[in-house]
Amino acid sequence: MRTMEGFRKELGHIRRPVDGRIFALKLAVLCSLVAGGTALVLSGTAWLMAFGIILLGLMYAHAIELQHEALHGIGLRGSRGNVVAGVLLGIPMLISFAAYRSAHMRHHRLLGTPDNREFFDYGDQYGEGSGSRFRNAVVWVYRFSMIGHYANFLAVCARLAAGRRLPDERPTAMRGIRRDHALLAGVLIAVVTASVVTGSMLAVWLWLLPLVVANPVHALIELPEHYGCDTDTTDSLSNTRSIRSSKLMAWFTNGNNFHVEHHLMPSLPIAQLGELHVALEGRHRFYHRTYREFFRWLLSGGTAGRPGPLLQPSESG
């Protein structure tokens, strides 16, 4: 059987230089939609405000998918640009670019081993657990609310404020983590203080309520990546899932649907993952044609021992 390294060498011709213009366009679209959502919320018309809140929530979740591209250094050509963009993209959901990058790179190295850990703590990350209906309901509420992420953010802030380091983090990563948490905590404190002093509800309408949308949407975007896959192997074709999806969902998830491809070649620019997906036809172990198909499988009782249908691109029409 051909090894992962063999696949990478075989498919190396797909790799092309990073085109920062594509990422810049994604950022421009994001900013435009955030501005549009803000205008709708400020309109004062109930149904327009509701639509604006939903749009902002969707864009906050989308921003984290763009942050993921930046942390791999494949958004813009220069490392400084990726860092600046990544830090700013994480502000709405209080996600440290440096902490996410450090944990995510470990995840890429250690997926399929007992030491693998994800940055976002969803509980029962890969669909391996079992329990009562009540316990399972609690796990899903925990996952979709992202309580674990915000609790960890506050815990890290407290730890850093006390002058303590984080275990397993190198000095270079720690500098970035301190920078990010100082910025995020500063923004949070400034917004809360301004809201209390002025009596304004803008922070609620433009930030808190959109997060009620963004949190479960982000969890849903990341759920299919490894859920129910063979996460006891380092083979990217078996421990990760890809979803062919529509162009709209491929944009919204920023190529996260091509997750096998991303794990196989993590330094490949997002815009080239579709080409790699075609080159891998017939080799995916866990594959779905649409997100709807994946969630139908999940709701029908999908578990780690019951993979999704082995559907290949040629079958999807």
Side-chain angles (χ1 to χ4, degrees):
M1 179 178 293
R2 193 178 286 106
T3 63
M4 289 298 97
E5 189 58 36
F7 277 131
R8 293 185 184 98
K9 290 181 179 178
E10 175 187 336
L11 301 170
H13 66 280
I14 292 174
R15 189 184 306 278
R16 292 184 294 278
V18 171
D19 186 347
R21 294 171 300 179
I22 297 175
F23 191 71
L25 178 59
K26 294 177 184 178
L27 293 177
V29 171
L30 171 67
C31 290
S32 297
L33 290 172
V34 168
T38 301
L40 290 172
V41 171
L42 297 178
S43 69
T45 303
W47 72 271
L48 289 176
M49 292 176 68
F51 186 76
I53 288 169
I54 293 171
L55 179 58
L56 286 175
L58 293 175
M59 289 306 100
Y60 293 167
H62 175 61
I64 304 310
E65 299 310 310
L66 297 182
Q67 185 186 45
H68 168 253
E69 184 173 2
L71 69 81
H72 278 281
I74 53 178
L76 300 170
R77 290 189 176 182
S79 60
R80 186 181 297 274
N82 282 300
V83 171
V84 172
V87 170
L88 295 176
L89 287 165
I91 290 177
M93 294 184 69
L94 300 177
I95 296 173
S96 162
F97 174 77
Y100 186 12
R101 178 171 60 181
S102 180
H104 189 68
M105 293 308 178
R106 284 196 296 270
H107 163 65
H108 271 271
R109 292 194 306 269
L110 300 174
L111 179 60
T113 74
D115 295 324
N116 174 53
R117 298 289 184 276
E118 296 269 13
F119 175 73
F120 296 104
D121 179 10
Y122 296 126
D124 191 20
Q125 193 78 22
Y126 301 133
E128 299 166 343
S130 61
S132 65
R133 288 186 177 180
F134 175 76
R135 180 188 178 280
N136 290 336
V138 170
V139 167
W140 285 105
V141 170
Y142 179 81
R143 174 189 292 272
F144 291 136
S145 66
M146 290 185 64
I147 291 174
H149 161 64
Y150 295 108
N152 181 68
F153 168 75
L154 294 176
V156 171
C157 284
R159 189 181 185 98
L160 295 176
R164 300 166 61 192
R165 293 184 70 258
L166 301 179
D168 303 324
E169 296 294 357
R170 298 178 178 178
T172 52
M174 281 302 305
R175 286 195 292 271
I177 291 171
R178 290 192 185 96
R179 172 204 65 210
D180 294 351
H181 281 79
L183 172 64
L184 295 172
V187 169
L188 183 59
I189 292 170
V191 169
V192 171
T193 301
S195 298
V196 172
V197 171
T198 63
S200 172
M201 293 290 289
L202 282 180
V204 174
W205 296 112
L206 297 176
W207 195 5
L208 185 59
L209 290 179
L211 282 182
V212 175
V213 176
N215 293 335
V217 168
H218 176 67
L220 285 169
I221 289 173
E222 298 216 333
L223 175 62
E225 295 176 353
H226 309 289
Y227 193 91
C229 299
D230 296 338
T231 51
D232 58 352
T233 174
T234 58
D235 181 357
S236 298
L237 295 172
S238 296
N239 61 26
T240 308
R241 171 182 286 101
S242 277
I243 300 175
R244 185 183 184 188
S245 189
S246 64
K247 290 183 178 179
L248 176 63
M249 286 302 295
W251 162 77
F252 180 64
T253 63
N254 196 34
N256 196 55
N257 56 306
F258 296 133
H259 214 63
V260 169
E261 293 73 14
H262 173 62
H263 268 268
L264 187 61
M265 298 177 69
S267 62
L268 188 70
I270 298 297
Q272 297 167 31
L273 291 179
E275 189 176 347
L276 178 57
H277 180 73
V278 172
L280 288 175
E281 181 175 357
R283 294 170 176 171
H284 298 83
R285 169 91 193 278
F286 296 91
Y287 181 87
H288 289 273
R289 291 169 295 190
T290 64
Y291 277 95
R292 186 171 60 252
E293 183 178 81
F294 166 77
F295 286 110
R296 275 204 307 264
W297 165 76
L298 181 68
L299 292 173
S300 71
T303 64
R306 294 169 57 192
L310 306 184
L311 302 172
Q312 304 305 333
S314 60
E315 300 176 44
S316 58

